[in-house]
Amino acid sequence: MSTSTLTTGRPSTALTRLTALGRAELTLLGRNRNNLFVAAAMPLLMIFVLRSSLKNVDETTLGISPGAATLIGGTGMILLLVVYMSLTSSLVARREELVLKRLRTGEATDTEILTGTALPAAAIALVQSAILTVGGFTLLGSDAPARPDLLALGLVGAIVLLAGLAAVTTTITRTVESAGLTTLPLFLISSFGSGLFVPHDALPELAADLSQLLPLSGVMEFVRAGWLGTAHAGSLLTAALNTVAWGVLTGWAVRRWFRWEPRR
């Protein structure tokens, strides 16, 4: 399906092409029950699991309250599951079905195609993050985000970075079924080392230094600062540099290695 067909009757602009691609991708997502479950229900279920698991953990071990750890970790889980893992599966499916190859014959640029494909996942992640934010202080009794501006920056940065990392991961993912395996390393490393649950300063010195170099460590520092309001200018600058560096590296890798059609 080309973007020219999707936008018939209206002047073709970048906005109309992105809207058409996003709408088409959302329709396809709704037809795939597995991907829809991972994108819509799994993150919220995992948050309840996290709440139960962290309820009896000593606050001195976490460095923050269990409620705050649940909200910060839940935000990270939403981003990893909805944007990274779900989008990797979607891109592989569209590649294997030759959808991406056909889209390139239309007016949409490569960047527009990838952005349009990522729009539904980004929208779902933002909606779920908003639900988590409201539920945090209504159901969990936690405080509202201390710095909503930093939280928003962290969410946007994470979505852009994880969308790029999803595109890069497709280069080693031959089938939709294998996406669960190829996305697992980054999921596990980020879950335990990027500050989703335990702050970097609560780790041993060497582990803390190494963990700050991970792809999601920068954006999660903004998310943590948004919820708690505890970050200093120096740590936020380091987090921003980490995010920009990984963003540039990811963009270069997508341009160099992303495949638009199946291997033959």
Side-chain angles (χ1 to χ4, degrees):
M1 186 183 300
S2 70
T3 53
S4 297
T5 302
L6 290 170
T7 58
T8 298
R10 292 180 297 173
S12 180
T13 64
L15 180 60
T16 58
R17 291 193 292 269
L18 284 175
T19 302
L21 287 167
R23 187 187 305 117
E25 182 61 31
L26 187 60
T27 301
L28 292 172
L29 178 64
R31 294 174 182 172
N32 188 317
R33 294 183 179 180
N34 291 333
N35 278 357
L36 186 62
F37 177 78
V38 170
M42 181 67 79
L44 298 179
L45 291 175
M46 289 196 69
I47 290 166
F48 285 105
V49 173
L50 289 173
R51 182 188 179 189
S52 300
S53 302
L54 296 174
K55 184 167 54 176
N56 298 320
V57 178
D58 187 5
E59 186 171 331
T60 57
T61 302
L62 293 173
I64 53 177
S65 68
T70 300
L71 294 173
I72 296 169
T75 302
M77 283 294 175
I78 288 173
L79 293 167
L80 282 168
L81 287 168
V82 176
V83 182
Y84 178 60
M85 301 184 78
S86 179
L87 183 56
T88 299
S89 297
S90 295
L91 286 171
V92 171
R94 306 301 172 260
R95 182 192 67 197
E96 297 302 306
E97 295 164 358
L98 301 180
V99 173
L100 297 180
K101 182 179 180 180
R102 290 197 294 271
L103 286 173
R104 294 189 88 193
T105 64
E107 296 180 346
T109 64
D110 291 352
T111 301
E112 289 171 354
I113 293 171
L114 293 177
T115 302
T117 304
L119 283 178
I124 292 172
L126 290 174
V127 169
Q128 289 193 349
S129 296
I131 294 172
L132 177 63
T133 301
V134 174
F137 56 84
T138 57
L139 300 178
L140 301 181
S142 300
D143 295 330
R147 291 287 305 274
D149 54 331
L150 295 181
L151 178 59
L153 281 174
L155 290 174
V156 173
I159 288 172
V160 173
L161 180 58
L162 285 171
L165 290 170
V168 174
T169 306
T170 63
T171 62
I172 59 171
T173 309
R174 288 185 173 273
T175 64
V176 175
E177 292 75 17
S178 64
L181 294 176
T182 57
T183 56
L184 192 59
L186 181 62
F187 176 82
L188 293 176
I189 291 173
S190 298
S191 297
F192 292 105
S194 289
L196 269 69
F197 306 107
V198 180
H200 292 128
D201 53 16
L203 299 174
E205 184 176 355
L206 178 60
D209 291 340
L210 293 176
S211 66
Q212 289 181 350
L213 300 176
L214 296 174
L216 280 194
S217 292
V219 290
M220 286 308 300
E221 182 67 27
F222 277 90
V223 170
R224 182 176 294 273
W227 276 109
L228 305 177
T230 55
H232 303 291
S235 61
L236 289 179
L237 177 59
T238 301
L241 292 175
N242 170 285
T243 303
V244 171
W246 276 104
V248 171
L249 181 61
T250 300
W252 174 82
V254 172
R255 287 181 176 276
R256 181 173 177 82
W257 289 309
F258 185 77
R259 300 184 66 89
W260 294 90
E261 54 187 279
R263 292 185 177 90
R264 299 299 184 186

